[in-house]
Amino acid sequence: MPTGQAEIYARSWEQGTYGTATEDGLLQHGTPLLETFIQSLRQYQQSRNDHVLQVLEAGAGSGDHAIRLAKEGFLVDANELTEVATRRIRRRGNQILPCSLRSRLRAVQGDITEYLGRQKPESLAGFYANSVLHTFSVEERLALYEAVHNAQPQGGLVAVSFKAKGDAGQHRGEVLERTDAGDIVRDCLGISRIFVEDPIPLINELSRVGYRHLETRRWDVATYIAKKDYPDGTRKFIGFLAEKE
């Protein structure tokens, strides 16, 4: 069974409603969390004197951030559940990356938690998930963090982001549950996600598994292009950077 709401997103991929027709050859802007993640990976690389670091992105979408990470010189596995998505990532990587860097990006298909379970201990320097884990339950997030923890050396980095309170989609759905971290809302497509009001419970989830919180970043996205049929409005995000203790 795929983790989180992956099956619903998979249907969007199959139906062609994910992404935009003009995205090929252009990278979406990064995020403050992505920039912080890249800087921290470089510092980690210098401290260990490693030539190349392995990074895994969960729910890589059309591959924008995975391609950016590959351009920065990291070895990147970009994970998505469907063949449609992974095929798009490969195509865009070939379009955007110079020939010398194309081998640094690999699109990998399958459930993210299962894929993590197949990784060798201490093989993964960084784990990145942008706007993905807010569709996971607490139990699913903890299982994923455990799997990441098992694949990382001490000092390995995790960067994860969530939708935040005030996001345009928060009040356009049905409130399923009010939690300490924020409301869980189901939208018109049937996707349930948390809109974070209090970040402490989410930071504590990482701490429970053995990660030390380093930084919290917040940002807005005025034009959201990931889903063609989403309503207009500013999207709000909150992200956390942590390291394995």
Side-chain angles (χ1 to χ4, degrees):
M1 176 69 69
T3 310
Q5 311 284 299
E7 287 185 315
I8 299 176
Y9 283 105
R11 288 198 293 271
S12 291
W13 279 107
E14 298 293 341
Q15 294 164 2
T17 60
Y18 200 99
T20 67
T22 59
E23 69 180 3
D24 287 344
L26 298 172
L27 285 180
Q28 294 183 41
H29 292 299
T31 70
L33 181 65
L34 178 62
E35 300 307 319
T36 298
F37 182 54
I38 290 170
Q39 293 170 11
S40 298
L41 283 170
R42 287 175 177 156
Q43 293 170 2
Y44 173 85
Q45 190 172 30
Q46 291 173 359
S47 69
R48 294 174 61 94
N49 197 28
D50 284 347
H51 295 292
V52 180
L53 298 183
Q54 182 73 43
V55 177
L56 171 61
E57 181 180 3
S62 294
D64 296 80
H65 292 181
I67 292 169
R68 169 68 190 287
L69 287 164
K71 289 179 74 172
E72 294 292 335
F74 305 115
L75 288 174
V76 184
D77 280 358
N79 171 263
E80 271 289 352
L81 183 64
T82 71
E83 183 181 356
V84 173
T86 52
R87 189 166 59 243
R88 180 183 290 188
I89 293 169
R90 292 188 194 99
R91 185 184 74 242
R92 299 191 71 231
N94 288 335
Q95 290 174 331
I96 296 170
L97 290 171
C99 293
S100 60
L101 293 180
R102 289 175 187 170
S103 63
R104 292 184 180 268
L105 176 66
R106 182 172 65 158
V108 294
Q109 182 182 350
D111 177 74
I112 183 57
T113 305
E114 293 179 0
Y115 184 75
L116 277 162
R118 298 194 297 271
Q119 304 311 299
K120 296 179 180 179
E122 301 193 0
S123 63
L124 191 63
F127 176 82
Y128 179 78
N130 180 53
S131 189
V132 174
L133 302 190
H134 54 214
T135 67
F136 286 23
S137 68
V138 173
E139 293 75 19
E140 287 172 327
R141 285 196 295 272
L142 289 173
L144 180 137
Y145 292 151
E146 285 277 8
V148 176
H149 191 275
N150 291 338
Q152 287 192 309
Q154 184 178 12
L157 295 161
V158 167
V160 293
S161 70
F162 300 76
K163 288 290 183 68
K165 181 182 179 181
D167 181 274
Q170 181 172 1
H171 303 297
R172 297 176 180 173
E174 175 189 3
V175 177
L176 300 180
E177 184 180 356
R178 300 189 185 277
T179 74
D180 291 341
D183 291 350
I184 298 176
V185 178
R186 182 169 57 204
D187 68 13
C188 59
L189 301 177
I191 297 172
S192 301
R193 56 171 66 80
I194 189 169
F195 291 88
V196 178
E197 180 174 3
D198 183 356
I200 298 301
L202 297 175
I203 292 172
N204 287 342
E205 289 176 7
L206 285 160
S207 298
R208 285 172 59 184
V209 179
Y211 285 93
R212 181 171 70 92
H213 173 250
L214 298 176
E215 193 168 343
T216 297
R217 302 299 302 267
R218 294 178 182 268
W219 67 95
D220 294 350
V221 176
T223 303
Y224 192 65
I225 68 170
K227 285 286 280 105
K228 298 177 185 177
D229 48 5
Y230 272 11
D232 293 335
T234 299
R235 265 52 187 183
K236 293 183 175 293
F237 296 88
I238 183 170
F240 310 107
L241 179 72
E243 68 175 2
K244 180 176 175 177
E245 294 184 305

